[in-house]
Amino acid sequence: MRTLAHGWRRVLDTYAVRRPHILLVACPGATAVRIAVEGAVPRVGGRFALTPADADILLVAGEPSDEMCWVVEALWEQMPGPRVRGRAVRPDGAVGVLQQLVAELCGPGQLRDAARRDDEWSERHKRAERSDEHHGHGGEHGHGEGDEDSGMEMPGGLAMAGTAPDRDGLKLDVLHVPLGPVLPEWPAGLVVHAVLQGDVVQEAHGRVVASPDADGPVFWSAAGDHAARRQRVAASYLDSLGRLLAVAGWEAAARRARAFRDRAMAELPDPALHEDFLRWRRRVEKSALLHWSTDRVGVLSAEHAARLGVGGPAARARAPGDATARWRQWLTETDALLSGGSLPEDGPRGRPGPAGGPSQALLTAALELMPGLDLAEARLLAASFDPDPDEWVRAAWQPSGRGEAAGR
């Protein structure tokens, strides 16, 4: 039996090395590194993991703050073995870091890691048993009458659901759920604190995890001559489109958007890029399922956008100003830029302004429009604004969007 177990372990380890699943933790201010990692993962035969339980490799892109380091440790503890972790701090080093981590997946350190984790689990189990002996096993020591909302926690640290009146006058469970700072296809460093009844957002407010990488230009706005800046802005719109399409569940279209993004940022001009983009654009615009997913999600009127200071494509999107209008505007402006059109006067996301830049207004708008949406729609809403994490690290700021649930 022991020989058979070792044989199966070798088979599983070999599979993990050939098809490693990478959990990416992108830090604010590390857009260039994040893009390099996205290009490096297919080169090592890997794919991105959606959860820690599905991950073999934990890769940090950029310089994490103290709080982000705590998040990384929490994710690391949730990953099964074999597992390895590392950090890429420069775009040109992403491939080398990943290749080294893949090679370590079946190294001797895996046995030591597994033994250490077994010891930690045993210690936790002993502490839990001692705690049970101290408090007794009757279950009568926890709460008295009227203590339903006294701070109990579920496994994993989630708060127990309380109750609150629904808009229809009913009493429904209320759950406080943090989204971020690490989620697939999520702005780096963003934490949205959502109050849910069922899967519907009742309130939403957010904050941005601090970053030590606060110097240097914003990646999407930093380029050389006029032609290079035009290609960089087009690439930023394609990056946003890739994120939204991935959140909508259209992975093939998302991969194509990112491939166009990388071609737009290449050192040498790509004469076939615009024609290839046009064919892809027509397919995206004809997708009935994509329209069904994003129509009427996050309607932002021109007056509301002006009041919040929203700029860029989100402000130029046609009525009714929903998520569909915003991704269609990205397509329209990308088309113009790839065909040699003029640069927008206010930058990829709006005119530079106070702390937080134009992305502060974009995120505030998203938070104000989030109540009344279910979680899937809230993710699409955030992706349709796609605030830039690189702008957040220039100054600490707190978005003001929050409120009661509104009609959809």
Side-chain angles (χ1 to χ4, degrees):
M1 290 297 294
R2 181 174 298 179
T3 302
L4 181 62
H6 281 300
W8 275 111
R9 182 183 180 90
R10 284 195 298 271
V11 170
L12 294 175
D13 287 350
T14 301
Y15 181 79
V17 171
R18 289 180 178 176
R19 298 289 295 168
H21 289 198
I22 293 94
L23 183 64
L24 175 62
V25 178
C27 300
T31 296
V33 182
R34 187 258 301 173
I35 291 174
V37 170
E38 289 175 354
V41 166
R43 293 176 61 180
V44 299
R47 57 179 296 182
F48 285 105
L50 299 180
T51 65
D54 184 42
D56 310 303
I57 296 173
L58 177 60
L59 181 60
V60 179
E63 185 69 31
S65 64
D66 291 343
E67 182 176 1
M68 192 65 88
C69 286
W70 181 88
V71 172
V72 169
E73 291 299 325
L75 294 171
W76 177 246
E77 289 301 319
Q78 297 174 50
M79 288 174 55
R83 59 174 189 169
V84 292
R85 62 176 172 177
R87 181 160 62 97
V89 295
R90 298 190 313 274
D92 58 1
V95 173
V97 170
L98 270 175
Q99 289 174 337
Q100 180 179 352
L101 291 174
V102 169
E104 292 175 3
L105 266 181
C106 290
Q110 296 301 321
L111 294 177
R112 292 193 298 269
D113 178 67
R116 180 186 63 80
R117 295 166 74 189
D118 288 342
D119 290 343
E120 287 182 353
W121 177 257
S122 299
E123 288 300 319
R124 291 176 186 174
H125 184 65
K126 291 176 182 177
R127 288 197 297 269
E129 286 183 336
R130 288 195 294 268
S131 178
D132 286 343
E133 291 172 359
H134 175 72
H135 291 293
H137 299 278
E140 300 175 356
H141 58 274
H143 302 279
E145 292 185 7
D147 285 343
E148 293 91 344
D149 301 317
S150 56
M152 284 183 64
E153 289 190 348
M154 293 165 55
L158 294 176
M160 289 285 283
T163 59
D166 179 57
R167 286 175 290 174
D168 297 326
L170 303 174
K171 279 255 185 178
L172 296 178
D173 285 345
V174 172
L175 191 62
H176 295 257
V177 176
L179 303 176
V182 179
L183 280 176
E185 311 299 343
W186 185 255
L190 172 63
V191 182
V192 171
H193 297 277
V195 179
L196 303 181
Q197 282 187 322
D199 66 343
V200 177
V201 179
Q202 302 298 309
E203 297 181 25
H205 56 98
R207 65 183 182 87
V208 176
V209 173
S211 172
D213 189 11
D215 298 325
V218 175
F219 178 79
W220 293 121
S221 302
D225 57 20
H226 185 83
R229 291 198 302 273
R230 184 170 59 232
Q231 295 296 102
R232 181 66 63 91
V233 174
S236 76
Y237 296 156
L238 289 163
D239 186 66
S240 297
L241 282 163
R243 185 168 296 108
L244 181 137
L245 291 166
V247 173
W250 196 357
E251 286 292 341
R255 287 194 298 270
R256 198 76 189 277
R258 287 165 179 151
F260 289 142
R261 173 201 67 192
D262 296 343
R263 289 169 65 181
M265 292 192 300
E267 294 183 5
L268 298 177
D270 187 341
L273 174 57
H274 185 229
E275 289 299 322
D276 293 344
F277 169 81
L278 285 178
R279 288 192 292 270
W280 175 81
R281 175 189 177 180
R282 286 191 290 269
R283 184 184 176 197
V284 171
E285 288 183 322
K286 290 179 180 178
S287 172
L289 184 57
L290 181 59
H291 278 272
W292 177 82
S293 299
T294 59
D295 284 353
R296 298 177 299 280
V297 172
V299 174
L300 181 70
S301 67
E303 295 76 17
H304 194 182
R307 177 174 63 82
L308 295 177
V310 171
R316 296 188 288 270
R318 295 182 179 180
D322 57 2
T324 298
R326 287 188 284 276
W327 63 252
R328 288 178 69 95
Q329 188 66 27
W330 279 331
L331 288 171
T332 298
E333 298 197 18
T334 301
D335 189 348
L337 290 167
L338 293 180
S339 62
S342 59
L343 278 166
E345 295 182 358
D346 58 355
R349 285 169 171 79
R351 194 175 302 280
S359 287
Q360 177 172 1
L362 293 174
L363 182 53
T364 300
L367 293 170
E368 288 193 5
L369 294 171
M370 209 169 276
L373 304 179
D374 63 38
L375 275 177
E377 292 171 328
R379 291 289 309 274
L380 283 167
L381 171 68
S384 73
F385 284 105
D386 198 30
D388 183 3
D390 284 13
E391 295 178 353
W392 299 336
V393 301
R394 301 300 172 261
W397 60 280
Q398 181 90 4
S400 59
R402 62 182 303 168
E404 300 294 329
R408 295 170 63 176

